[in-house]
Amino acid sequence: MELIDVLHMVSQQSEQAAQPTDYVAGTVTGVNPLQITTTNQAAPLQESVLLLTAAVVEKKLTSFAHSHDTVHTHVVTDATIQPAGNCSTELGGTTCYENGVALPNDGYVILNRALEVGDRVLMLRVNKGQKYIVLSRVYDAGGGS
């Protein structure tokens, strides 16, 4: 074996030992505090080593409901008719779906729900495995989580 081959092999082994950035799948096993278990790690990853992206942080809007009283005035020949009316419009019944499953409606429009126990997530291992960036939830192609 030539010196260049040996140096190349040592370089590859060094890179593998450093554990460069890599994708890691995990499952949320706790939410308060957040814990995620990976298939290649015995102990769950704790909240202190997890960095959350906007895709996995809860975002919701208060529902868009309103009502108003309206008095209608109509002129018919020489008489004025003023029926007392109450016009109430509510944009209720809004349902948000995630991966084909309806999310609970608690008076909010959910843009992005918080992580829940059992959610499968895709992470990026960084800083030689000292930190994990939680990128997204992942779903089976069949529709389950």
Side-chain angles (χ1 to χ4, degrees):
M1 193 179 272
E2 293 188 28
L3 179 58
I4 190 74
D5 294 330
V6 171
L7 291 174
H8 182 68
M9 186 174 68
V10 168
S11 172
Q12 286 179 335
Q13 289 174 351
S14 175
E15 185 177 328
Q16 289 172 353
Q19 295 181 341
T21 301
D22 196 13
Y23 287 109
V24 179
T27 302
V28 176
T29 53
V31 292
N32 202 3
L34 183 60
Q35 294 181 337
I36 298 176
T37 301
T38 62
T39 56
N40 60 355
Q41 186 143 346
L45 299 170
Q46 301 300 314
E47 193 170 86
S48 60
V49 301
L50 299 170
L51 304 170
L52 305 179
T53 62
V56 296
V57 175
E58 182 178 69
K59 291 182 221 68
K60 59 186 179 177
L61 299 172
T62 304
S63 68
F64 305 105
H66 75 280
S67 64
H68 58 272
D69 292 325
T70 303
V71 176
H72 299 278
T73 303
H74 300 277
V75 177
V76 179
T77 57
D78 291 334
T80 300
I81 304 170
Q82 289 186 316
N86 183 353
C87 176
S88 179
T89 304
E90 225 176 277
L91 297 177
T94 303
T95 303
C96 297
Y97 292 87
E98 179 183 67
N99 199 36
V101 177
L103 296 174
N105 184 347
D106 59 358
Y108 294 94
V109 174
I110 300 171
L111 300 175
N112 200 44
R113 70 172 175 81
L115 289 173
E116 296 175 357
V117 171
D119 282 346
R120 292 185 35 219
V121 294
L122 181 63
M123 300 179 290
L124 190 63
R125 185 181 65 224
V126 294
N127 197 18
K128 297 181 183 177
Q130 299 301 305
K131 294 282 184 183
Y132 290 77
I133 301 170
V134 183
L135 300 172
S136 178
R137 288 177 194 81
V138 292
Y139 300 95
D140 292 332
S145 62

